[in-house]
Amino acid sequence: MSKNFRIDYQREDRIGFQEVVFGASKTVKQLDAIIEDYQKNKKSTLITRVQEEKANVLCEKFKPNFYDPVSEILLVGEFPKELIGNEVAVLSGGTSDQFLVDEIYYTLLYLGRKATRYQDIGVAGVHRLMDNIEELKKFKVLVVVAGFEGALPTVVGGLLPQPIIAVPASIGYGIGKGGKVALYSMLSSCANGITVVNIDNGYGAAMAAFRIINN
Amino acid sequence: MSKNFRIDYQREDRIGFQEVVFGASKTVKQLDAIIEDYQKNKKSTLITRVQEEKANVLCEKFKPNFYDPVSEILLVGEFPKELIGNEVAVLSGGTSDQFLVDEIYYTLLYLGRKATRYQDIGVAGVHRLMDNIEELKKFKVLVVVAGFEGALPTVVGGLLPQPIIAVPASIGYGIGKGGKVALYSMLSSCANGITVVNIDNGYGAAMAAFRIINN
Amino acid sequence: MSKNFRIDYQREDRIGFQEVVFGASKTVKQLDAIIEDYQKNKKSTLITRVQEEKANVLCEKFKPNFYDPVSEILLVGEFPKELIGNEVAVLSGGTSDQFLVDEIYYTLLYLGRKATRYQDIGVAGVHRLMDNIEELKKFKVLVVVAGFEGALPTVVGGLLPQPIIAVPASIGYGIGKGGKVALYSMLSSCANGITVVNIDNGYGAAMAAFRIINN
Amino acid sequence: MSKNFRIDYQREDRIGFQEVVFGASKTVKQLDAIIEDYQKNKKSTLITRVQEEKANVLCEKFKPNFYDPVSEILLVGEFPKELIGNEVAVLSGGTSDQFLVDEIYYTLLYLGRKATRYQDIGVAGVHRLMDNIEELKKFKVLVVVAGFEGALPTVVGGLLPQPIIAVPASIGYGIGKGGKVALYSMLSSCANGITVVNIDNGYGAAMAAFRIINN
Amino acid sequence: MSKNFRIDYQREDRIGFQEVVFGASKTVKQLDAIIEDYQKNKKSTLITRVQEEKANVLCEKFKPNFYDPVSEILLVGEFPKELIGNEVAVLSGGTSDQFLVDEIYYTLLYLGRKATRYQDIGVAGVHRLMDNIEELKKFKVLVVVAGFEGALPTVVGGLLPQPIIAVPASIGYGIGKGGKVALYSMLSSCANGITVVNIDNGYGAAMAAFRIINN
Amino acid sequence: MSKNFRIDYQREDRIGFQEVVFGASKTVKQLDAIIEDYQKNKKSTLITRVQEEKANVLCEKFKPNFYDPVSEILLVGEFPKELIGNEVAVLSGGTSDQFLVDEIYYTLLYLGRKATRYQDIGVAGVHRLMDNIEELKKFKVLVVVAGFEGALPTVVGGLLPQPIIAVPASIGYGIGKGGKVALYSMLSSCANGITVVNIDNGYGAAMAAFRIINN
Amino acid sequence: MSKNFRIDYQREDRIGFQEVVFGASKTVKQLDAIIEDYQKNKKSTLITRVQEEKANVLCEKFKPNFYDPVSEILLVGEFPKELIGNEVAVLSGGTSDQFLVDEIYYTLLYLGRKATRYQDIGVAGVHRLMDNIEELKKFKVLVVVAGFEGALPTVVGGLLPQPIIAVPASIGYGIGKGGKVALYSMLSSCANGITVVNIDNGYGAAMAAFRIINN
Amino acid sequence: MSKNFRIDYQREDRIGFQEVVFGASKTVKQLDAIIEDYQKNKKSTLITRVQEEKANVLCEKFKPNFYDPVSEILLVGEFPKELIGNEVAVLSGGTSDQFLVDEIYYTLLYLGRKATRYQDIGVAGVHRLMDNIEELKKFKVLVVVAGFEGALPTVVGGLLPQPIIAVPASIGYGIGKGGKVALYSMLSSCANGITVVNIDNGYGAAMAAFRIINN
């Protein structure tokens, strides 16, 4: 059969960034064909949610590459040599959210933007946020990751004036399993002007931050 | 037809408080018959969620009485003359939750217990909570009401050591309409040892507080 | 009883805009007391979702005022005399979404920002969007309102590079009743970097746009 | 025990096509017995969703056969030698939906009908659809597959006049996991006259297309 | 303010039928402006779900008109004088579904197509369907309406070969309230090749039937 | 238009009872036509869930009749003169469930069967059930109504050996609003051999009891 | 640690059958201890949903035994030698439901009751049911199993007068995955007097049938 | 990369107990780093929901330790030598809930509090609860675990006066799978003053009990 996809190479001209590939539901064979297409067009390929076994096969073949097993993000090609600014802060409550914090961080890197990670800010010990308020004021966009009840963006949103992109994490159990409670909580926030992306959509949050700092 | 109910008058001996009547789904005629039964047994009657038009009819007939139109709570009889202690604090973010704060307050009054209301503590301006921390340490039980994303109990639970009873309020809209988001958020709280009651169950929260301070 | 609220007047210093009041679940009496408090502090009051009968009573007493019955937004006070820029475009498919388009428009006005409304862009006739692409490129933020299947932000997001704030409208019926389908659809969008607010949260979308253009 | 099934061999006379077997929840042993029954009646057997390990065992025994591991469709027997027409176009956004595109394609083949696949039409780059509009006008039925927010049938439905059968794919994550968002979005479409089948029901979509072109 | 809508008058050229107006969430004033726009373009206007009080006001002003209070469908203008064919049968179980049967019937009339209604076919007395099988075989499309458990399309689909468009009705109570059970049941049907539209979307079902018979 | 229904008068021969009419979603006009049809066939008509205003109009015209405003059940005709047996006990916790207890009671009466109501058995005071165990052992079928958490059938099912038909009532609020919690709880009961009907389906529960005692 | 369970050996005296063990969530070690307890009391043990690996270990140790891998039911002990009657018919559409048909069949066997299985009755070919109507009239109770849209009990209920226990099977996919659609459909059935048990609760359905034929 | 967490060591001073670690979503490497941090601060570490393979690796390295494979709770360090009181009773229906009963028991042990387990109290044989009523009156707090329909706390709440913390267990199947039915049932309980924690949140229930007995 002939090629069953057609990469949208004009996207970068239209909206400022290339098409990125969603890896979770594609086979190694399908990903291989897609990467080859990008390479023929002399482009690097960013693929999100590539399970480790699949990534290993692809990294064997395609060089150079970067793969982070925690966030399952795969770059076939190289990050830009020169990074612009340090305008985005990524906040989270700790270790369980690291896979998302890293997906956001590496996506911004791929887009040529440096970011800073604050992973020690949990709402059950609110002093950890208070200690960082002055430093956080320096950023242009705040991306705030939270699982469980997802309260962190609300508290941040009441204290800081910047654009806030809330990212619900699929961390939790019982009624909070899968991240829906965090998502709904962020959407219902009594703090004003918070916007939200899909559960575990670290990649989309990075793109949203990029849309702000690139315009 | 004969009487279609049987009040559980032994409940007070078993568990320390009388049967209370859920008024929302009963007709005036049904409530009238129930109140007469209590009166024959020389007991006052507490009825929750009595819509105003129904309350007006009943208050005309049964004296003395107390009716609060905001919380829709009706007492046929009198509050105890002597109130014990001031062990329960009822916290909320503001005006929209008043109907629940009052249901909790008057239920405790009916049980012979004084409580203190803190209605100006909203999580979008967390300093308002911080200002009251020392004063709040003096209470034995904290009942915390919140609608929308329901984050207040989480923040309180990270700062104060007492038993915390979280009460989700049916205040919100869109995905938060009806109070389920607040409920789920409280159940998923990353703060430890918080317990939760049903949406708008101010009456049950007061009973839970009473079970703690009465044992 | 004493005052059961405490306006967060420091919010403007912290995050650049005042506390706004959610009117739907408050009584006229409660709103009256709140407005008086603002007036004592020499501030205008923006109240969202004030049902028309309640607004009429309040407008009788408090002058000057502005009330829009379609969006149910009430301003006690005056819009700023000088408006800055014209950086926000508000897009929607037509008449049914007008209540949200107007809530966004008037909230931005209250914040001193001009916006432009494009209400004739429906995804079932995609040429109407295509005709406006060049003009839309001039704005700094795009706020996109849609009910039913909520596909408009996806199509816009594939064509334009700016920050996009998607606002699901509670317009629809059957499985789409209440706006959840539009909300979920926007969150699941295959277009990258779109952020979303709660169903019918035009006010929050305006605040989110303001956070972008004010920082 | 005696045979625990009874194939509905009269179905072809009644409604124009044979009973097809749902393979996912049946054991190899059960499928084996069913295929033998078909063979006794000199019929080929189409089985959907046969996991690869099960298919391998069955293909060893029953010849001739056709098995496609992407769509997990198994034909014991042969496709018709002569194919009628080319009246159905199957549209999708790309690689992740291939399992459904193929299930539709092979089911139509089994029914003696040729179809054409357009797998490069994603709504986030709407020009790819626009480029094919004239060609698509030649088909009698359009089957449109989409995961995530499921917007493709809406855009197609606004541009083309044919019967449109929308097929939601279980591709997505977070709130879109499992395909319900795509399903609900297609049902709520503001484009008129679109009909929908169950999530991942490529087989049913092919049958629906067949009902149209066969009558 | 200027006009906040733009009718898609090119739709008829593109897909064979005009834009129809969803009346439920529009005010009389908004509908009035829309009808005037159609009249300037010398077109009749079909509006679905117009509540009776709103229809009365509009019918007073705009003549000729047709309004059916059961289905709440309003035509400003006249039905086509010449009707083509009698290719569509509309089946339902009885009186409660009449509002949908009529919405389908009148929409087809507006499109210039005659249809036949069979409203006495309930699955709890399956002989009523059996009695009509031969007659039903003569139609080109079957539109099948059902509320409660929505089983009728399944039984029809097992007996008749034509395209079947299933329409779930919001008739039922308890777990079946609002029509979701009928919708889900139709989507899960074990009968093959049935397609489904949104709950109460009689109008869309008629359009889907039209797409089949017009192509 | 001609008659849009066809009563299934053969049902009594097939399954032992006549077709009963669901009144909630039908207009007075529709009900009037249906009753006339029954009368032409010399049958009495049982209609469930007839709102009071509608019942009043119908009772004016059709005599003899019986209407119970609590359960909203309407009989046009007379209850059988001779009642068979007293084999069914209907249990509930009290006043709020009376509308269902009565629907069950009158439906059985219409079917010629006497029943006994026990409305004072609430699970929060389990002694009230214990006091009646010996008496309850005499019945052939137990129909158990409960709202809120729906625990009563579980406790009854652990103590008594008869067939138990559990009827969830739409009594409750918050997460329990609408009766789904009671329904799910009854379906998940750890007591064995309990069967369940739809929320508020007192009529169906009576029919299920009748199927047992009539066979 | 001491024994963490206490078998309810009095249950047989109270309600006519012994306590049965739910095996799915218990470890081999826990099941072993429970079986030993039954054996000390000279009772056979029926355990439902015992995964095959666990059953193999237990069958090695405890003799005599019976294990059916399709329904995962395990009897430690022997079925009664003498079986009473043949009063229960178990109906289903075919092979996918066999695990439930067998759970019902073996549970009745354990209770000393013979049953008859009709596994070839699918609603998509309704003639298969019609062919068996006369034979089915002889049974006292009908247990009807169905997955997907769960329509079979509705059709049966309109044709036969006996008590009908509907059992939803977790067979289906997409919106029907897990059996909820079948469950809801059965609860919403327009056929009268059908009762329902939990999804996949074949064991409970057998117990419900036993309660009818044993009283 | 630097440390991606910051333990809240001040929590003990603020609220009386240390930060506990949620182990389920953390890797061995992440847990290892966290334990080392605790050890540098000379604290023992309690980690909940540590899967057995992960626990084995950690126990190899860190001594002394305690790991319970049923509840998956891991203590790196030692339980307090001296235990205070015996104020908490943990009630459940039997073996399937043991994982929660043990999580509660060991968490209290870690907090220096003895508890007593009553695992033989199932609501389907209510006499087992009745037999223990007098003994249960001696405790200060009752923690009540239940899966399936979750009725046990309701029955206990009607008989005993102490604070009751209800813990829904994820034991059940069909509609009750995952524990939501037990959760909703407990929240809707008609017994007064019961509070609830998240599904399977044994740890949180122990903390809630500790907040009561420690204040």
Side-chain angles (χ1 to χ4, degrees), chain C residues 47-76:
Chain C
I47 316 178
T48 61
R49 299 171 184 247
V50 188
Q51 296 87 342
E52 195 158 4
E53 350 46 292
K54 285 157 60 176
N56 289 342
V57 179
L58 295 167
C59 287
E60 195 102 331
K61 172 167 174 189
F62 297 103
K63 316 263 168 164
N65 63 57
F66 170 84
Y67 180 70
D68 172 44
V70 174
S71 60
E72 298 190 326
I73 204 164
L74 170 64
L75 176 67
V76 177

Side-chain angles (χ1 to χ4, degrees), chain A residues 70 93-96 98 102 106 117 119-120 124-129 131-132 148 171-176, chain H residues 1 4-8 10-11 14 19 22 25-26 30 34 49 178 180 183-184 198-201 203-204:
Chain A
V70 173
T95 314
S96 290
Q98 199 185 333
D102 285 5
Y106 291 120
R117 287 169 282 186
Q119 287 177 264
D120 53 357
V126 83
H127 57 94
R128 293 176 292 193
L129 171 59
D131 293 353
N132 286 297
F148 288 95
I171 299 295
Y173 61 90
I175 198 74
Chain H
M1 204 199 343
N4 56 18
F5 58 86
R6 178 174 151 200
I7 306 299
D8 178 11
Q10 294 75 46
R11 190 172 296 177
R14 287 200 317 277
E19 185 167 351
F22 177 62
S25 54
K26 297 195 177 68
Q30 292 172 329
I34 288 168
R49 300 172 182 244
K180 281 191 193 167
L183 171 64
Y184 296 162
N198 195 5
I199 299 161
D200 288 349
N201 191 5
Y203 158 72

Side-chain angles (χ1 to χ4, degrees), chain D residues 11 39 60 81 102 106 151 165-166 172 211 214:
Chain D
R11 190 172 296 177
Q39 299 211 322
E60 196 101 332
K81 294 261 153 57
D102 286 4
Y106 290 119
I165 299 164
R211 282 178 180 264
N214 200 40

Side-chain angles (χ1 to χ4, degrees), chain E residues 48-195:
Chain E
T48 60
R49 299 170 186 248
V50 188
Q51 295 87 342
E52 196 159 4
E53 348 49 289
K54 285 157 60 177
N56 289 342
V57 179
L58 295 167
C59 288
E60 195 101 333
K61 172 167 175 188
F62 297 103
K63 315 264 168 169
N65 63 58
F66 170 84
Y67 180 70
D68 173 44
V70 172
S71 60
E72 299 189 326
I73 203 164
L74 170 65
L75 175 67
V76 176
E78 288 181 310
F79 289 114
K81 296 260 153 56
E82 314 270 308
L83 296 176
I84 301 170
N86 182 16
E87 300 174 309
V88 181
V90 186
L91 287 72
S92 85
T95 314
S96 291
D97 301 330
Q98 199 185 332
F99 73 105
L100 279 178
V101 170
D102 286 5
E103 191 180 79
I104 296 162
Y105 180 83
Y106 291 120
T107 301
L108 284 166
L109 226 61
Y110 156 83
L111 294 164
R113 304 295 177 135
K114 199 174 147 26
T116 303
R117 287 168 282 186
Y118 292 81
Q119 288 176 266
D120 54 356
I121 291 176
V123 80
V126 83
H127 58 93
R128 292 176 293 192
L129 170 60
M130 297 305 193
D131 294 354
N132 286 297
I133 287 290
E134 284 312 308
E135 197 175 320
L136 288 169
K137 282 184 182 163
K138 294 182 294 191
F139 292 91
K140 199 162 172 206
V141 179
L142 306 176
V143 181
V144 187
V145 179
F148 288 96
E149 89 288 32
L152 186 56
T154 293
V155 179
V156 173
L159 292 166
L160 287 161
Q162 298 104 311
I164 292 169
I165 299 163
V167 189
S170 61
I171 299 295
Y173 61 89
I175 199 73
K177 194 178 171 183
K180 282 190 194 169
V181 170
L183 170 64
Y184 296 163
S185 179
M186 290 168 178
L187 287 165
S188 304
S189 176
C190 62
N192 303 133
I194 291 171
T195 61

